[in-house]
Amino acid sequence: MSGPDAPVFAGVDIGGTTTQVVLCDEELKVLDRADTATPARTGGRAMIAATLDALAVVRARTPGRLAAVGVGAAGVVDAAGGHILVASDSFTDWAGFPVTAALRTALGVPAFLDNDVNAFLRGEIACGAAADEEDVLGMTLGTGVGGALWTGGELRTGAHGAAGEIGHVPGFGDLPCTCGGRGHLETLASARSLRARYGERTGRELTAREVAEAARDGDADAHAVFAAAGAGIARAIVMTAGLVDIGTVVIGGGVSGAWTLLEPLIRGPLAAEPPISGHPVKLLRAALGTDAVPLGAAARARHELTARWAPGRWAPGR
């Protein structure tokens, strides 16, 4: 179905610097997209206003009836209540902000909220690298390390919305983490940590991408930093597999851009210390790039409406 009455779904990724909007059809094919700077320091109202402005641009260019909107946002969120619980200090007046209520009021359609890593995993499950997988750990290696868990064919958020957050489980050394804890995976495998660990070894200040390039060029210190990250990621995978028996891991985020370097550094430790089940874990690089979060958010919105229309056909995120 196409034309002015065809249902379309909006997916939004509200990041610390950029807000991205995609408009999708019922098959999650991207019809149009726009992005804008996130006014993170100006507050929640300004951030929603920027989102609405970007959405207005794509709606004006694309025929169809807006059916629902989904949002993926950084931080800890109350997905059921539709508001932000905890936000980093990059944001002003964002914690506590009623995201879905603001969008429903402005647009007159249902709105849904997810943590950005949960939305990333929904996107990769719906139409990315992990399509049709049943039990998946999603990991994003960016400024920090995020995690999300998909088991039994649905997203598992847990009692407090923190299921799958392997980036902030201790047991990966004793380095201080940005969250205030110590020894978290994020201290080894995030872009910020790769830069810091290399600087500690050499006294040189390089970006994570430059550290990866140095490792490829034979820099032993750069390679050691990535090897520690790979070993940490492998251990996190084995820990998760031991607890919930996941069969697949999909990894995205900026650090995954160094996949040809990172992948063997994860596979080696995984082969040396496989999951207790004895079954190897399928390791995948995310396929959707920056579209994963907004597409996952759109997938959530599409499915929530499908579930309302046909309660017996529940299949979250698909």
Side-chain angles (χ1 to χ4, degrees), residues 70-185:
V71 177
V76 180
V77 310
D78 178 350
H83 62 272
I84 306 297
L85 293 175
V86 180
S88 76
D89 58 9
S90 299
F91 297 90
T92 299
D93 295 331
W94 191 226
F97 191 83
V99 177
T100 58
L103 290 172
R104 282 197 305 268
T105 298
L107 298 170
V109 300
F112 307 94
L113 176 67
D114 265 319
N115 162 274
D116 57 350
V117 185
N118 287 348
F120 155 82
L121 183 53
R122 285 185 189 274
E124 292 292 337
I125 290 283
C127 48
D132 300 322
E133 298 290 340
E134 289 294 318
D135 299 280
V136 187
L137 172 66
M139 298 178 67
T140 55
L141 311 176
T143 304
V145 173
L149 190 62
W150 184 274
T151 62
E154 62 183 44
L155 188 73
R156 300 293 181 180
T157 56
H160 308 101
E165 287 291 357
I166 194 65
H168 291 283
V169 172
F172 298 87
D174 193 45
L175 293 166
C177 185
T178 56
C179 70
R182 300 188 74 88
H184 295 177
L185 177 61

Side-chain angles (χ1 to χ4, degrees), residues 169-259:
V169 172
F172 298 87
D174 193 45
L175 293 166
C177 185
T178 56
C179 70
R182 300 188 74 88
H184 295 177
L185 177 61
E186 185 168 301
T187 66
L188 300 177
S190 70
R192 179 164 38 201
S193 296
L194 290 167
R195 183 173 66 245
R197 302 292 80 81
Y198 183 75
E200 289 165 0
R201 295 176 70 99
T202 66
R204 299 175 61 199
E205 293 187 6
L206 299 182
T207 66
R209 180 178 296 181
E210 290 168 339
V211 175
E213 291 170 356
R216 294 191 192 97
D217 290 341
D219 184 321
D221 289 304
H223 190 274
V225 166
F226 265 88
I233 293 166
R235 186 177 186 202
I237 291 169
V238 171
M239 290 167 62
T240 306
L243 288 171
V244 293
D245 198 18
I246 48 100
T248 303
V249 177
V250 59
I251 298 178
V255 174
S256 70
W259 190 246

